[in-house]
Amino acid sequence: MPQPFTELTAVAAVLLRDNIDTDAIIPSREIRAVAKTGLADGLFANWRYLPGEGRTPDPGFALNDPEFRGARILIAGENFGCGSSREQAVWALAEYGFRALLTPSFSPIFQRNCVRNGVLPACLARHAIAQLAEWVSADPQRHRPSVSLVTQRVAAGARSWPFEIAADAREALLSGLGEIEQTLRFNDRIAAFQAADRLRRPWAYDLGPATPGSHRESE
Amino acid sequence: MPATLFEKIWNEHLIADTSGGGLLLLDRIFLHERTGGVALQSLRQSGHRVANPAHVFATMDHVIDTRPGSRNPGAADRAGNPFIEVTRREARAAGIHLFDTDDPRQGIVHVIGPELGIVLPGLTLVCPDSHTGTQGAIGALAWGIGSSDAEHALATQTLRIPKPKTLRVFIDGTLQAGVTAKDLALHLIGMHGASGARGFVVEFAGPAVRRLDLEARMTLCNMATELSAFAAIIAPDEQTFAYLRGRPFAPPGERFERAASQWQELRSDPDARFDLEIHLDASEVRPMITWGTNPQDALPIDGSVPDYQAVSGRLSRQAYERALSYMGLEQGRALAGLPIDGAFIGACTNSRLSDLRRAAALLKGRRVAPGVRAICVPGSTQVKRLAEAEGLASVFERAGFEWRESGCSMCFFAGGESFAPGQRVVSSTNRNFEGRQGPQTRTHLASPETVAASAIAGHIADPRTGQR
Ligand code: SF4
């Protein structure tokens, strides 16, 4: 279950590229196990490491910059998390330590995945992102922005900007309550809805029992 | 009140309003081994169970081995095996439908959904996969979700979602010969950009859409994902009903006809209001090809790489230069005539029987140019069998194409097989992102016809001039 999110003051890393897709965040080949963990190492692998075998950090890549050490906030460009719907992208970011992502816009599936995992996807105006990035970059270890989900603002020194987040996403992040548990409390209502629906649309239920396909038992 | 097709389906499935959206009943949940196994496993580990196993389907398509010859029960790359094994184990434990590697119903999730009649008009269907909107071509509301949402869907048969806005893309005019739904889609994405439909359900409508057969409609809806659409949908019609009759999971006989009479209502009312409308003339569309690393970088095939000015509204100078260097191109370079190393026909965009037929018509009696690696991967085991039965497979093979087992194959790179670094590939897939078909592989998206014509020519070629 996700951790509740209320406020966070932390080092922010700056990666101002637009259209950072989920394959850039976690390349497909880095997803080796059927698990939600073990992904932090592969985060941004194509950019983070120099080409070749043994993972040598590319000194030119932002996250390898000692200035951004310990970053828990990521400031990035537009349309962040586009591409494949793989939730591993969020798991990798979260495992690496990020709890808040600040961008002008997100891919919708990615944004929902963030909320499910207790990571705040906050949309700021383009100019706010630019000003914030500039302020942070001047001295990242000391210029730590504060993100408040309570007031829906990001503060940087004397300045602050509002950010956008859907009302239900905000509630879910603030409470940290698992969504499945929330919905299961409506179970009776769902069952009643389905019973009535079955009469309205019998064809939607005309499926027969599940038939697991045969498979040669592998010896 | 007049309603759009989307609103009708939304209202019919709305259990409760939530702030900014609703709690919706789901009719079908589809899983594949790449994301489905982990969702089932994590659900079980958290002490929940699948609410309605009979409404849940799983297939093996993403990492399964597609190399020619007898079907390997494992992955193309050993690292993929755990995904297959976990999905198999969890699917059996949960008692859901499973189309395993050796099942004749196996195939790419968005190909077999319609093919098996699992998706029907007016249904809601979700899958932890971004191209789920493909299945909206049947007249269903089908959308892609993440793994946590998939767990929620499995445990409750519902999902809480924000209500999307509505966008109608009205298409009239007639597609010219040699121009396909894929070109239409690339044309649209080229015009409106990679975020052109963000937050919208796209309804494709108009006489040109009515004239598309069901498989072409699937291609069109498939590509709406590259406009960032929440989902795509096309109102069902007689063609849709004819397509679905007799499919294994569609209701049989009289029960089908009763359902079809209800499905007649599934269309936007004449005076329904959309949040946004786009109009398109199909006769203006030419065969399309992409030059960059996003599907929005699409141009008519006789075009050349644009200068920065032409794309500055969409790309930063840095992104433009990065795309050019990745693709090994320079401004002003004509796209037709670019030498290629690979040709790929497959993926949930263009791997159905009609796609293979049209490509085969161009390949018949010809040979792939020397040095070009050409691959055809049917979208499902059933497509493969039908193509073999009507002689298409041997047309592909005689032309020098690899004829493969069905699956996603080299549509995306997962650490197994891929094209080589720097290789230029013309591909019937839907994404040309950096590294999508292999590290440093350069992908040009196009229709299966254009892929076939280019494979023969050895360079990017207009399929219309190749036609006999
Ligand atoms: S064919 Fe490609 S785009 Fe389609 S589901 Fe498979 S990997 Fe995704």
Side-chain angles (χ1 to χ4, degrees):
Chain A
M1 242 193 280
Q3 296 251 306
F5 189 110
T6 47
E7 290 181 332
L8 174 67
T9 301
V11 175
V14 178
L15 193 56
L16 282 190
R17 296 187 192 175
D18 289 340
N19 299 312
I20 295 181
D21 64 89
T22 51
D23 198 64
I25 298 170
I26 182 84
S28 209
R29 62 165 192 289
E30 297 289 338
I31 304 171
R32 297 198 187 84
V34 189
K36 296 183 172 183
T37 52
L39 295 159
D41 245 18
L43 181 70
F44 294 118
N46 289 343
W47 295 341
R48 201 163 136 204
Y49 306 112
L50 291 169
E53 290 304 298
R55 308 214 180 231
T56 319
D58 181 342
F61 182 61
L63 293 193
N64 293 327
D65 187 338
E67 289 279 293
F68 291 135
R69 189 173 304 133
R72 306 196 66 201
I73 299 170
L74 182 66
I75 303 169
E78 216 162 298
N79 200 19
F80 190 84
C82 59
S84 135
S85 63
R86 70 184 67 148
E87 194 158 324
Q88 282 90 349
V90 176
W91 299 337
L93 285 161
E95 198 185 351
Y96 183 91
F98 290 117
R99 290 240 34 221
L101 312 175
L102 316 180
T103 80
S105 63
F106 293 90
S107 142
I109 296 180
F110 177 85
Q111 195 166 15
R112 289 175 60 71
N113 289 343
C114 284
V115 175
R116 301 287 170 283
N117 291 281
V119 173
L120 168 69
C123 293
L124 280 81
R126 248 185 179 285
H127 70 88
I129 289 288
Q131 291 168 2
L132 181 61
E134 195 187 323
W135 180 79
V136 165
S137 300
D139 187 357
Q141 288 294 329
R142 256 174 268 176
H143 286 190
R144 302 182 177 199
S146 290
V147 183
S148 169
L149 186 53
V150 181
T151 60
Q152 266 184 253
R153 293 188 81 86
V154 178
R159 275 177 298 181
S160 82
W161 303 269
F163 64 80
E164 277 182 39
I165 180 148
D168 55 342
R170 181 170 177 272
E171 280 161 36
L173 282 164
L174 284 172
S175 73
L177 244 196
E179 216 188 349
I180 294 180
E181 285 72 16
Q182 287 181 42
T183 303
L184 286 176
R185 285 188 306 199
F186 293 107
N187 232 348
D188 292 348
R189 191 152 164 202
I190 295 169
F193 186 92
Q194 267 176 311
D197 184 53
R198 209 177 255 278
L199 300 176
R200 276 198 309 268
R201 302 184 308 141
W203 50 270
Y205 297 81
D206 205 347
L207 273 167
T211 51
S214 64
H215 186 272
R216 303 176 292 257
E217 282 303 329
S218 27
E219 42 297 321
Chain B
M1 246 221 340
T4 65
L5 168 55
F6 159 73
E7 284 156 349
K8 291 181 183 179
I9 300 179
W10 175 276
N11 292 338
E12 197 152 49
H13 290 81
L14 185 65
I15 300 169
D17 284 313
T18 61
S19 51
L23 179 69
L24 291 197
L25 181 70
L26 303 175
D27 295 311
R28 304 284 185 269
I29 301 168
F30 228 136
L31 305 172
H32 61 65
E33 84 282 25
R34 185 80 178 155
T35 53
V38 64
L40 286 169
Q41 174 179 272
S42 156
L43 185 73
R44 183 176 51 73
Q45 285 168 351
S46 61
H48 297 296
R49 43 176 215 89
V50 175
N52 272 321
H55 290 240
V56 184
F57 299 79
T59 186
M60 308 283 195
D61 55 3
H62 273 64
V63 302
I64 180 176
D65 193 354
T66 61
R67 277 173 296 196
S70 68
R71 180 110 246 181
N72 168 358
D77 172 48
R78 251 187 307 141
N81 281 334
F83 294 91
I84 294 179
E85 284 152 18
V86 169
T87 301
R88 184 176 292 147
R89 184 183 76 220
E90 297 292 338
R92 287 180 179 170
I96 64 172
H97 304 266
L98 171 65
F99 309 130
D100 209 331
T101 52
D102 66 343
D103 193 301
R105 300 168 297 180
Q106 175 277 344
I108 303 174
V109 52
H110 314 308
V111 174
I112 64 175
E115 183 178 272
L116 296 175
I118 291 167
V119 62
L120 298 170
L123 293 186
T124 50
L125 179 149
V126 295
C127 173
D129 188 276
S130 49
H131 290 97
T132 305
T134 312
Q135 308 198 38
I138 294 290
L141 183 62
W143 72 98
I145 58 177
S147 295
S148 298
D149 269 348
E151 286 179 47
H152 186 282
L154 289 164
T156 68
Q157 200 67 27
T158 68
L159 213 51
R160 236 177 265 257
I161 58 167
K163 190 171 185 180
K165 291 174 285 183
T166 53
L167 161 62
R168 175 159 59 186
V169 178
F170 189 90
I171 313 176
D172 57 14
T174 305
L175 284 174
Q176 295 170 28
V179 181
T180 68
K182 178 65 162 287
D183 303 301
L184 188 57
L186 286 171
H187 175 93
L188 187 68
I189 300 163
M191 276 171 51
H192 295 279
S195 315
R198 169 168 323 246
F200 289 93
V201 169
V202 178
E203 179 177 342
F204 290 107
V209 176
R210 295 267 77 89
R211 277 194 290 271
L212 294 176
D213 64 30
L214 264 286
E215 298 191 343
R217 294 180 192 181
M218 292 172 209
T219 301
L220 189 58
C221 290
N222 178 273
M223 294 297 290
T225 300
E226 309 314 323
L227 282 165
S228 303
F230 168 80
I233 192 165
I234 295 175
D237 56 13
E238 284 306 325
Q239 269 206 79
T240 315
F241 308 150
Y243 173 91
L244 287 171
R245 250 179 221 111
R247 304 261 168 195
F249 288 95
E254 187 44 39
R255 303 215 291 274
F256 183 94
E257 301 314 322
R258 251 178 296 168
S261 69
Q262 277 184 321
W263 295 338
Q264 304 280 3
E265 306 298 316
L266 291 170
R267 60 184 53 152
S268 293
D269 294 327
D271 37 2
R273 248 202 74 256
F274 291 82
D275 294 302
L276 196 64
E277 300 226 32
I278 290 176
H279 188 272
L280 205 74
D281 181 353
S283 63
E284 285 172 6
V285 179
R286 282 169 287 166
M288 300 290 287
I289 186 100
T290 59
W291 60 268
T293 52
N294 189 293
Q296 72 182 359
D297 305 329
L299 288 175
I301 194 147
D302 56 0
S304 17
V305 177
D307 59 17
Y308 178 61
Q309 226 29 44
V311 294
S312 57
R314 219 172 247 179
L315 287 179
S316 65
R317 161 76 68 177
Q318 187 198 12
Y320 169 75
E321 270 156 18
R322 194 182 164 87
L324 284 192
S325 103
Y326 184 88
M327 293 301 291
L329 295 172
E330 62 292 331
Q331 150 191 349
R333 178 79 163 107
L335 293 166
L338 270 181
I340 60 166
D341 309 289
F344 184 87
I345 295 178
C348 54
T349 326
N350 279 123
S351 62
R352 299 176 183 83
L353 195 59
S354 58
D355 297 310
L356 306 192
R357 280 185 186 144
R358 297 194 320 270
L362 279 157
L363 293 171
K364 195 158 192 167
R366 304 201 175 165
R367 292 279 314 165
V368 170
V372 174
R373 182 176 184 203
I375 296 173
C376 178
V377 190
S380 71
T381 299
Q382 187 181 322
V383 168
K384 178 171 185 268
R385 290 196 176 162
L386 292 172
E388 284 166 353
E390 67 177 66
L392 302 179
S394 60
V395 172
F396 277 98
E397 281 177 326
R398 263 187 244 131
F401 266 77
E402 287 174 35
W403 177 252
R404 291 192 161 219
E405 302 291 332
S406 92
C408 299
S409 191
M410 279 145 82
C411 167
F412 85 116
F413 175 62
E417 288 185 284
S418 71
F419 290 98
Q423 285 198 327
R424 191 176 298 290
V425 181
V426 187
S427 180
S428 77
T429 52
N430 47 36
R431 283 186 172 151
N432 51 351
F433 298 157
E434 280 187 26
R436 172 77 181 184
Q437 291 191 292
Q440 302 299 319
T441 299
R442 295 161 171 163
T443 300
H444 295 269
L445 302 177
S447 71
E449 284 89 330
T450 301
V451 178
S454 304
I456 297 165
H459 52 75
I460 292 177
D462 189 329
R464 296 170 303 182
T465 49
Q467 223 129 25
R468 282 176 296 191

